Amino acid sequence: MDEIVDEVLRLEGPGVPLNEMKCFQCSSNLGMAESVAYRCRDCDTSAIWCRQCMVNSHRVCYLHRPEEPYFRRTTFKDLGVRIQLGHPPGEECWHKVKSIGDDFVIIDIDGVHNVSLDYCDCAGSPTPLQQLLRARLFPATTLDPNTAATFKVLETFQMLSFTAKTSAYEFMQVISRRTDNTGMRHVRDRYHEFLRIIRVWRHVRLLKRGGRGHADAGASGTQPGELAVLCPACPQPGVNMPDGWEQETRLSQVDFESRWLHALFIGIDANFRLRRKDVSDDVRDPGFNKGFAYMVEEVAFKNFIRKYGRPLLDANGKSVLQPDKSNCSNHDAIKSASARGGRGLAATGLANAQCSRHDMRRPTSCGDLQLGERYVNMDYVVLDTLRRNIPRMVTMSYDIGCQWFPGLGERSDIYEGPNPIKGSVDLLLQCLVPKFHLPAHIMKCQVQYSFNLTPGVGRTDGEAPERGWADSNDLAYSTREMGPGSRRDTVDDSFGHWNWAKVTEIIISLASRSTEAIIRRKEQVEAFEHFADALPRANIVAWTKQVQDFKQGRATKNPYEPDGEVKSETEIRLQLAKEDGDLIKYGNTDMVHPSVSPSVFIYQGLEIEDAQRRFEWERTRLGSHGSTLEKAKNLERGNNVRRRFEAWEKLQLLYMPTVIAHRQAQEDEGKAVVEDAGDLKLWLPSAALKTLKVPPGRRLIRYIRSTLLIQAHMRVQKEQYGHGTKYMTRSNQLLADVATRLSNLKKKYDIIRGCIEVLSSNLESTPGSKKGTDEWRSVLRVLEPEDLKGLTSSLTGKHKTGDGFLKLTWIWTVSGSGQESDDAALRIEFCRTRARAHRWQEESLMLNEELARVYCFFGWDAMRWEDRAREYMSRMVAPLIYTDRNHRSSVILNMGKVAYAHRQAAIRRQMEKDAYAKWQALMPKLTKLHVSKDKKTKDSKAGDAELRELDAKVLYECA
Ligand SMILES: [Zn+2]
Ligand SMILES: [Zn+2]
Ligand SMILES: [Zn+2]
Ligand SMILES: [Zn+2]
Ligand SMILES: [Zn+2]
């Protein structure tokens, strides 16, 4: 550390002893006259110059900061340097003119510099503005400027404002401090000039990138939204869509299925952070962008709001444009809450509609909000962005889509002037609710507006706006105090940066999404097939038909929805009791039959153990509070256990004679009379379970499944209808009972499985035994606590959001599933599992389409720039003799235009190449639909052919 400090201090000195100090360039000895030794802070050398050499070597970098001996800061102005524009460095103009007041300030990255600046006034010389710009100095005014900023500082600030959201004020503070941090020297305040420069700079760059410099109509010929950076992956007719896409989406086919692959996805949202205080106005601060990029054109927008913002009432006094009340959850309350605090604000937020699969801002898709999230503002930005080149189907998403969308068509009929929805038979619109917002909606919405259950949406989540806001919220601070025009321009510039950043990552991001989709699709399709295989064939066919009918509007019954039957508590208890009865009955069969097999004997032993457990548990539960009737029943159960034990004990003498010794020992200790049925000792040695078979285990799995269904049913019911303490207490008790029952079933299952494990390992170690005794393992798998999960469709609350990644635990996919009583739960599960598999299949196909679009888009974009290059190339050809100066000047200008167009084209061509490589590498996997191996062989069967035909075309025919 000390060493570093020393080295840093060493740099403060000249670096050589005084007597050796020489000018780096002319070698004149400087040691004796130390006042003429100079050094530069900004050159990459700590060499020492004499005054003349210092000046000479800085002809091309006159904004460096020179230092005087003992290395105080000085300026080139102090050294007598004058900057000469319009001539090569070092050449002095014979007709030079001093800048206004001979006092010019240049803002650069290292400081605010006072300079002496001369323009050239030779015959036919360019204007001072041109001279400044050609020196990469951006003046604050066009007439008699006295301030300019270097291109370098503007580029740096612009990038800082995008990434670190640095405000111009903060930035100028930094520059000022860098100029002098002692407060001893006066640093010129150039904040307002800098503000002015940066706004023009932003607009100039926008026009340049948008190709307006290559259009004869120039800036004034800009079309709405033209300067927005477009999403390469979204479908744009005439740009990146395959030939014949119109045929694929023929008018006669009004169903979504035929169009889904060519649909546009738009996410709608309002942001309440991007506010603007009521300072300045559109007259004083009109801004440069008039709907050229992402913000809508202000005048038309304001007129629209003025006209339709006031409530239009119908005959009954109801608002035509916005319903007073929500018919879903109370979204209005939330929305109006976020609109509060509107006092002193000119804009309370920003309405936005962006591309929701690639998180990019769309052209003319943002507009201010004045009073909360009113439909009229939202409608305007949506309709305006839909005016830009769109395909024939649009899937929108909006967190209050269930409220906003149903009236959209009606409202757009009221709005005057043409709009893309009005009277259009060619445009299919649908609106869903973003995935993470959906759980807050009522059950009906959760089915109707679900991305998971809607065909043709892949794995889109509709949450793009939220992701976009996370970035632009940081912008809120710096734009809050701006005038309306400055704010619009700043927001546009920032969104442009956001979009461009997305464009540069789009290939990588689509490729990584594809890789994931390929894996997930395999998982989900297999899960679906396994589940379907475990279900009775008839059910599958019936349910598949139900989903398809519903989707195509042939049936109103929604197969994803519970049947609506609410099981009462008594019914549930009855069902539990019945199953208990079955268990007991089963345990009692063939109790004393002479031909009882060893396996039945062992199983009966286990059954008795189980009955003991149940008896004890029930007794503890009853405690001293149970009714007489309940206590009597418990006693009876105890007696039953004892009777079964006594009968079984006789069999035990046959099968396990050695056990007599144990019992004898107990008798000797005086413990022969066991009072409590729960204390009866069975002495079941696991080694004796030699011949146990699989069926008891299977049966247990079935009971587990049915108990899980009951549990899930209870939970859903509690969440939806559970009000009041009395109800809660009772249902909690029942839920606890069900949980105990589950854990008992698991214990029993573990014992049986353990026994079979011992048995089979014994068998396998016997020499000469047949292989394949392991088959049971695929049926009776290890039951982990986390396997005890209900069907994925019965998950509630936050678990629901990760729907696309849910998988069934194995107990639901071993054969024999579907014989449970709760058909509705299984049907919902089947439909949802099926939907999940479909969504991933669609996602794969969509990603393939998107990769293809990105490839086409960059090709198209490259071609645009190549055309521009060609156009200006022809204008660039220089004649042998110039007829006039202007001609020469325009040839030079066109050379610049050609160079820029070539550079832009080259960037796109490279992107096109990258996109093509990725697309080609991924296409085979993305378009080959996943069908698991065993499915293929089964498909040959007639029954499956019928099912295939029934199932969506998406799964099987799109490839
Ligand atoms: Zn020198
Ligand atoms: Zn230098
Ligand atoms: Zn000159
Ligand atoms: Zn997009
Ligand atoms: Zn809703």
Side-chain angles (χ1 to χ4, degrees):
M1 200 53 74
D2 286 339
E3 195 185 340
I4 300 173
V5 173
D6 283 349
E7 282 304 316
V8 171
L9 282 170
R10 190 179 187 270
L11 289 173
E12 296 284 330
V16 283
L18 273 185
N19 52 356
E20 290 171 27
M21 214 152 77
K22 280 182 179 150
C23 170
F24 161 68
Q25 231 148 0
C26 69
S27 303
S28 63
N29 202 328
L30 302 172
M32 296 305 113
E34 53 187 63
S35 67
V36 286
Y38 288 89
R39 203 166 68 172
C40 177
R41 276 185 85 80
D42 296 320
C43 278
D44 293 326
T45 168
S46 46
I48 292 165
W49 280 278
C50 70
R51 184 189 178 108
Q52 195 50 48
C53 292
M54 178 77 188
V55 170
N56 287 343
S57 61
H58 281 80
R59 298 263 183 229
V60 290
C61 41
Y62 45 79
L63 292 177
H64 278 193
R65 294 166 301 165
E67 287 176 329
E68 287 180 335
Y70 293 101
F71 306 117
R72 284 187 312 271
R73 299 218 183 146
T74 180
T75 62
F76 280 113
K77 188 175 185 175
D78 293 340
L79 293 177
V81 173
R82 300 195 67 82
I83 299 167
Q84 177 64 60
L85 299 180
H87 285 264
E91 192 179 296
E92 208 179 319
C93 179
W94 286 38
H95 306 278
K96 64 185 176 191
V97 177
K98 287 180 179 171
S99 69
I100 189 98
D102 196 17
D103 180 22
F104 202 85
V105 173
I106 295 177
I107 305 162
D108 192 27
I109 199 132
D110 294 313
V112 180
H113 301 270
N114 293 321
V115 297
S116 309
L117 186 129
D118 294 328
Y119 300 111
C120 159
D121 198 25
C122 300
S125 65
T127 63
L129 173 70
Q130 288 171 326
Q131 291 186 32
L132 282 166
L133 288 171
R134 286 176 198 181
R136 293 178 191 273
L137 294 171
F138 208 96
T141 51
T142 50
L143 213 66
D144 294 335
N146 62 5
T147 305
T150 60
F151 283 16
K152 198 165 70 182
V153 76
L154 293 173
E155 279 162 7
T156 306
F157 169 69
Q158 206 180 5
M159 196 44 83
L160 273 174
S161 74
F162 294 149
T163 52
K165 315 292 177 203
T166 310
S167 71
Y169 182 77
E170 291 163 341
F171 187 72
M172 281 312 287
Q173 289 283 316
V174 173
I175 303 280
S176 168
R177 290 271 167 187
R178 294 272 284 137
T179 316
D180 178 64
N181 207 10
T182 62
M184 275 151 59
R185 269 167 54 201
H186 173 65
V187 182
R188 309 283 280 272
D189 176 19
R190 283 296 185 268
Y191 169 60
H192 291 285
E193 286 80 358
F194 186 71
L195 269 188
R196 205 153 48 216
I197 294 170
I198 198 75
R199 287 184 47 203
V200 183
W201 168 260
R202 283 186 156 136
H203 191 60
V204 165
R205 301 255 285 188
L206 187 69
L207 290 168
K208 177 186 166 204
R209 288 172 177 157
R212 292 314 303 171
H214 290 73
D216 290 333
S220 57
T222 312
Q223 295 301 304
E226 187 189 330
L227 301 183
V229 174
L230 296 172
C231 174
C234 275
Q236 292 159 63
V239 173
N240 61 359
M241 298 184 70
D243 293 337
W245 72 274
E246 295 101 326
Q247 270 67 51
E248 278 180 51
T249 62
R250 277 191 306 276
L251 257 182
S252 56
Q253 292 175 304
V254 284
D255 56 323
F256 285 126
E257 268 164 279
S258 57
R259 301 189 182 192
W260 67 273
L261 205 52
H262 303 297
L264 172 68
F265 289 81
I266 291 183
I268 303 162
D269 196 20
N271 175 297
F272 294 103
R273 292 275 198 84
L274 283 169
R275 301 168 165 204
R276 189 179 75 78
K277 287 194 181 158
D278 198 1
V279 289
S280 187
D281 52 45
D282 279 312
V283 178
R284 277 182 286 165
D285 182 14
F288 292 107
N289 286 358
K290 312 224 177 298
F292 294 163
Y294 313 96
M295 297 290 286
V296 294
E297 199 276 309
E298 192 66 9
V299 178
F301 178 53
K302 282 266 168 66
N303 286 339
F304 184 86
I305 300 295
R306 210 166 295 132
K307 188 158 187 186
Y308 302 107
R310 254 177 267 121
L312 284 180
L313 302 180
D314 65 9
N316 303 320
K318 269 191 168 177
S319 171
V320 181
L321 293 172
Q322 183 146 16
D324 306 325
K325 262 206 176 135
S326 160
N327 58 22
C328 180
S329 314
N330 199 0
H331 300 299
D332 287 345
I334 303 158
K335 296 285 168 182
S336 57
S338 43
R340 242 180 266 142
R343 191 166 299 196
L345 293 177
T348 56
L350 198 71
N352 171 259
Q354 69 186 80
C355 117
S356 64
R357 274 188 67 81
H358 321 101
D359 300 5
M360 284 179 65
R361 307 280 174 189
R362 284 189 52 79
T364 63
S365 65
C366 309
D368 281 342
L369 293 169
Q370 289 83 24
L371 286 166
E373 203 167 338
R374 286 188 308 173
Y375 289 178
V376 62
N377 297 59
M378 307 310 284
D379 288 353
Y380 189 87
V381 299
V382 171
L383 293 176
D384 209 30
T385 197
L386 289 180
R387 286 197 178 93
R388 316 300 151 221
N389 196 17
I390 55 160
R392 291 174 177 176
M393 175 180 168
V394 180
T395 297
M396 298 184 282
S397 52
Y398 189 8
D399 56 356
I400 50 165
C402 62
Q403 305 301 306
W404 170 82
F405 184 66
L408 178 65
E410 214 176 309
R411 292 196 299 276
S412 82
D413 283 343
I414 296 173
Y415 300 145
E416 268 169 27
N419 74 54
I421 299 181
K422 201 163 167 177
S424 170
V425 285
D426 202 18
L427 181 63
L428 271 179
L429 284 177
Q430 68 175 349
C431 185
L432 303 172
V433 170
K435 276 183 191 172
F436 294 95
H437 285 88
L438 195 58
H441 287 246
I442 57 171
M443 189 62 192
K444 191 164 162 270
C445 292
Q446 294 196 16
V447 173
Q448 198 178 342
Y449 292 95
S450 163
F451 271 100
N452 289 329
L453 304 183
T454 304
V457 299
R459 296 280 311 149
T460 317
D461 62 10
E463 295 288 354
E466 303 285 326
R467 288 187 286 266
W469 294 139
D471 179 77
S472 49
N473 278 346
D474 300 332
L475 193 68
Y477 173 72
S478 58
T479 55
R480 194 167 301 165
E481 314 266 348
M482 288 182 180
S486 314
R487 173 169 173 274
R488 282 195 294 273
D489 290 355
T490 307
V491 168
D492 264 341
D493 198 33
S494 179
F495 286 179
H497 168 76
W498 165 269
N499 267 16
W500 178 251
K502 288 277 167 195
V503 168
T504 58
E505 314 168 332
I506 192 124
I507 302 168
I508 306 272
S509 106
L510 286 178
S512 76
R513 280 163 74 180
S514 300
T515 316
E516 194 198 355
I518 291 164
I519 297 165
R520 298 284 175 207
R521 180 187 58 186
K522 182 172 184 296
E523 280 175 11
Q524 294 297 337
V525 170
E526 273 174 8
F528 169 59
E529 285 173 353
H530 284 151
F531 184 52
D533 284 348
L535 293 166
R537 182 101 285 175
N539 287 8
I540 300 178
V541 174
W543 293 336
T544 306
K545 215 170 147 21
Q546 276 180 28
V547 189
Q548 287 172 342
D549 284 353
F550 177 69
K551 212 165 63 187
Q552 285 151 14
R554 286 196 296 268
T556 47
K557 182 179 156 37
N558 189 330
Y560 296 110
E561 236 170 19
D563 286 341
E565 99 281 19
V566 178
K567 273 198 194 127
S568 74
E569 219 178 303
T570 334
E571 279 173 312
I572 291 172
R573 286 207 183 275
L574 212 69
Q575 190 184 341
L576 285 176
K578 192 177 155 286
E579 278 180 16
D580 275 348
D582 287 350
L583 273 168
I584 292 162
K585 198 169 76 203
Y586 191 83
N588 276 336
T589 47
D590 298 334
M591 181 69 87
V592 284
H593 199 277
S595 58
V596 169
S597 71
S599 72
V600 171
F601 159 72
I602 298 293
Y603 185 65
Q604 284 174 350
L606 291 171
E607 286 288 339
I608 293 168
E609 268 191 349
D610 188 52
Q612 276 180 315
R613 263 196 301 276
R614 205 163 35 230
F615 160 72
E616 286 203 313
W617 167 73
E618 195 180 85
R619 197 182 43 182
T620 344
R621 195 171 64 83
L622 284 175
S624 52
H625 306 294
S627 68
T628 332
L629 184 67
E630 279 172 328
K631 281 185 177 160
K633 263 197 182 158
N634 181 246
L635 200 68
E636 199 185 298
R637 180 164 281 184
N639 290 337
N640 184 23
V641 170
R642 187 181 292 278
R643 272 199 304 280
R644 284 164 67 185
F645 174 75
E646 280 161 5
W648 183 79
E649 202 185 10
K650 290 194 185 87
L651 279 174
Q652 197 179 27
L653 293 179
L654 280 174
Y655 288 112
M656 302 165 65
T658 47
V659 101
I660 300 171
H662 292 285
R663 296 204 190 284
Q664 195 58 52
Q666 268 202 328
E667 254 169 53
D668 289 349
E669 282 176 44
K671 288 179 187 163
V673 186
V674 181
E675 290 290 343
D676 197 324
D679 293 339
L680 292 166
K681 272 221 174 321
L682 279 92
W683 304 106
L684 265 178
S686 57
L689 308 172
K690 286 237 166 189
T691 50
L692 210 57
K693 293 271 159 53
V694 178
R698 263 185 206 271
R699 199 160 34 242
L700 276 170
I701 293 176
R702 227 177 77 201
Y703 286 127
I704 290 173
R705 279 200 293 251
S706 113
T707 313
L708 283 170
L709 284 177
I710 291 170
Q711 193 182 38
H713 184 89
M714 290 286 305
R715 284 194 183 139
V716 171
Q717 218 165 299
K718 201 174 140 193
E719 199 161 274
Q720 291 187 345
Y721 308 99
H723 301 293
T725 9
K726 198 177 163 203
Y727 178 87
M728 284 307 235
T729 324
R730 271 190 300 139
S731 67
N732 282 342
Q733 177 64 53
L734 187 53
L735 265 176
D737 287 0
V738 170
T740 316
R741 190 183 142 92
L742 261 181
S743 87
N744 281 343
L745 283 170
K746 180 179 168 356
K747 258 184 231 154
K748 196 162 165 190
Y749 177 84
D750 289 345
I751 292 171
I752 291 194
R753 203 189 171 277
C755 292
I756 297 176
E757 183 78 62
V758 171
L759 165 75
S760 64
S761 59
N762 283 350
L763 278 181
E764 275 155 24
S765 59
T766 316
S769 72
K770 264 201 286 181
K771 288 276 168 202
T773 44
D774 244 9
E775 223 171 280
W776 64 274
R777 280 182 210 274
S778 64
V779 181
L780 302 185
R781 289 159 62 178
V782 179
L783 186 62
E784 304 287 354
E786 58 266 26
D787 291 329
L788 286 178
K789 267 193 207 131
L791 294 164
T792 59
S793 55
S794 56
L795 291 178
T796 52
K798 67 177 173 23
H799 303 292
K800 251 191 180 153
T801 48
D803 201 55
F805 304 97
L806 295 174
K807 268 170 71 184
L808 286 165
T809 58
W810 67 267
I811 49 169
W812 294 100
T813 52
V814 293
S815 62
S817 195
Q819 286 133 21
E820 283 78 9
S821 49
D822 205 336
D823 262 359
L826 282 171
R827 182 198 67 224
I828 296 170
E829 181 69 19
F830 171 82
C831 295
R832 282 187 181 261
T833 319
R834 179 178 173 280
R836 249 189 325 260
H838 281 203
R839 291 304 85 76
W840 280 110
Q841 297 270 40
E842 290 160 4
E843 178 73 7
S844 306
L845 294 173
M846 282 163 86
L847 284 166
N848 176 62
E849 194 68 25
E850 282 164 341
L851 279 165
R853 275 189 217 133
V854 169
Y855 158 65
C856 292
F857 180 89
F858 287 137
W860 169 83
D861 210 13
M863 204 129 76
R864 281 206 301 178
W865 283 108
E866 281 157 3
D867 286 347
R868 286 166 183 155
R870 231 188 324 278
E871 167 65 25
Y872 284 89
M873 192 89 92
S874 66
R875 302 189 197 181
M876 193 176 88
V877 182
L880 286 173
I881 303 158
Y882 291 102
T883 44
D884 61 29
R885 197 178 285 274
N886 285 343
H887 188 194
R888 179 175 177 273
S889 169
S890 89
V891 167
I892 295 170
L893 168 64
N894 290 336
M895 285 169 78
K897 292 192 177 182
V898 170
Y900 183 71
H902 273 314
R903 183 151 64 90
Q904 296 302 318
I907 293 168
R908 269 75 178 179
R909 283 288 174 220
Q910 184 58 48
M911 287 172 161
E912 180 193 25
K913 217 174 114 196
D914 293 351
Y916 187 73
K918 275 276 184 293
W919 176 41
Q920 289 301 306
L922 287 162
M923 179 165 55
K925 279 185 187 164
L926 285 172
T927 51
K928 201 174 124 261
L929 291 168
H930 181 82
V931 180
S932 62
K933 258 187 223 150
D934 41 330
K935 191 81 189 167
K936 270 181 206 148
T937 47
K938 276 190 200 165
D939 274 348
S940 52
K941 287 185 213 159
D944 289 282
E946 176 200 8
L947 194 65
R948 271 183 58 163
E949 208 167 295
L950 269 171
D951 216 330
K953 287 166 188 149
V954 175
L955 267 175
Y956 298 105
E957 284 170 21
C958 277

